[in-house]
Amino acid sequence: MTKAPSPSARKVTVPALQEMKTSQTPITVLTAYDFPMARLLDQAGIDVLLVGDSLSMVVQGRSTTLPVTLDQMIYHGEMVARAAKRALVVVDLPFMSYQVSPEQALTSAGRVLKETDATAVKLEGGIHQAKTIERIVNAEIPVMAHVGMMPQSVRQMGSHSKIQRNEDKIIQDALAAQQAGAFAIVLELIPRGLAKRLTDQLSIPTIGIGAGPNCDGQVLVSHDMLGYSPDFHSKFLKTYADLHSSITQASSQYIEDVKSRRYPSSEHSHE
């Protein structure tokens, strides 16, 4: 078992992630949406906590990431950043909080950093968002990019699970994001060979999800990794726990104990 870092372990920074790529040290990323989960993941030694717009689906129960708002992302981002003592915190810019113009994007990104104390923002897109990435980075706000399958484009792509195989477009998007100043880039649902080519070609870290083992780092939705829902299955997902069964069983036992008056017993009562 890997030993968790001590409280004095060095804070993960943007330059530290670049050093990890250079030294070929794998980067670990998980999503977090609230203080308790962020604190647990931080204490476990995660490198990056991503406050993903996936909270629209994972936390709010919606079918896409599109409905979540900037105010909601800030609300959750602040909780996660407050919990993180070591991990670098990245907050997604949600749908339509950056697509209108680079100025709108800068305003949104500025709000995220001022109101959450996170380190960076993430946005989807390459060539078409290059000017936006550059505008935000020029204001000294770190940007993580995201190419391949882009959840905010699900209406156009048709599915959250379709492997993206347009190599020329993906390469052009990734290079454009790097040129614009992104410090890292998420590669989602692309063939492993393409992910390796990009990882070798790019000077910034690549973070894969459904992109094979050759990226500089990996990201998963924490709820999926922990087995919260038995309904989500994907080839790239490895579950490390079965919290769905554990929570259901514990709750059922509590209900049974209360209904049968076994709880609270005398040991749980005050005189």
Side-chain angles (χ1 to χ4, degrees), residues 1-256:
M1 178 180 290
T2 301
K3 185 178 180 181
S6 68
S8 61
R10 186 175 67 157
K11 176 76 174 177
V12 179
T13 62
V14 168
L17 293 184
Q18 187 63 52
E19 292 170 9
M20 293 174 76
K21 178 181 176 75
T22 301
S23 65
Q24 298 186 341
T25 302
I27 299 166
T28 58
V29 187
L30 283 170
T31 62
Y33 313 103
D34 58 36
F35 183 90
M37 181 65 78
R39 182 168 60 178
L40 288 171
L41 299 178
D42 187 68
Q43 290 173 347
I46 201 73
D47 296 317
V48 179
L49 289 170
L50 171 63
V51 187
D53 58 0
S54 50
L55 77 85
S56 179
M57 304 168 73
V58 174
V59 176
Q60 298 176 337
R62 300 178 183 275
S63 61
T64 73
T65 64
L66 302 182
V68 70
T69 68
L70 180 61
D71 284 341
Q72 290 168 340
M73 293 301 303
I74 289 172
Y75 172 75
H76 288 269
E78 188 275 333
M79 289 186 282
V80 171
R82 186 149 32 92
K85 304 304 181 186
R86 174 183 176 273
L88 184 148
V89 177
V90 180
V91 178
D92 266 340
L93 292 182
F95 181 62
M96 293 310 297
S97 70
Y98 63 93
Q99 288 92 341
V100 174
S101 68
E103 287 68 32
Q104 180 213 26
L106 177 58
T107 298
S108 298
R111 280 196 63 199
V112 168
L113 261 64
K114 284 178 67 67
E115 298 178 39
T116 70
D117 200 30
T119 296
V121 297
K122 182 172 78 66
L123 58 80
E124 297 179 7
I127 292 176
H128 296 304
Q129 296 299 337
K131 290 183 179 179
T132 294
I133 294 171
E134 184 176 16
R135 183 76 175 92
I136 297 172
V137 171
N138 283 343
E140 307 298 335
I141 298 174
V143 175
M144 178 180 284
H146 185 142
V147 302
M149 200 292 287
M150 296 179 289
Q152 292 178 14
S153 300
V154 65
R155 298 287 189 244
Q156 182 174 356
M157 293 185 168
S159 169
H160 282 112
S161 59
K162 185 177 180 180
I163 306 299
Q164 303 301 302
R165 301 185 183 278
N166 189 337
E167 293 195 7
D168 288 342
K169 180 181 186 305
I170 293 169
I171 291 171
Q172 290 172 12
D173 279 340
L175 289 173
Q178 175 178 270
Q179 181 64 31
F183 73 89
I185 187 164
V186 172
L187 307 177
E188 181 164 1
L189 286 181
I190 67 173
R192 60 187 294 174
L194 175 57
K196 184 180 188 309
R197 284 176 58 194
L198 283 170
T199 301
D200 292 342
Q201 187 172 357
L202 295 172
S203 61
I204 60 175
T206 59
I207 309 297
I209 178 167
N214 297 306
C215 297
D216 296 305
Q218 299 292 330
V219 59
L220 284 177
V221 172
S222 56
H223 287 61
D224 297 339
M225 181 273 290
L226 293 169
Y228 264 80
S229 173
D231 302 322
F232 179 71
H233 304 281
S234 180
K235 181 179 176 63
F236 68 78
L237 175 63
K238 180 177 180 178
T239 54
Y240 290 80
D242 183 8
L243 293 192
H244 176 269
S245 295
S246 297
I247 293 171
T248 301
Q249 291 170 5
S251 301
S252 296
Q253 186 62 59
Y254 168 74
I255 292 167
E256 182 180 338

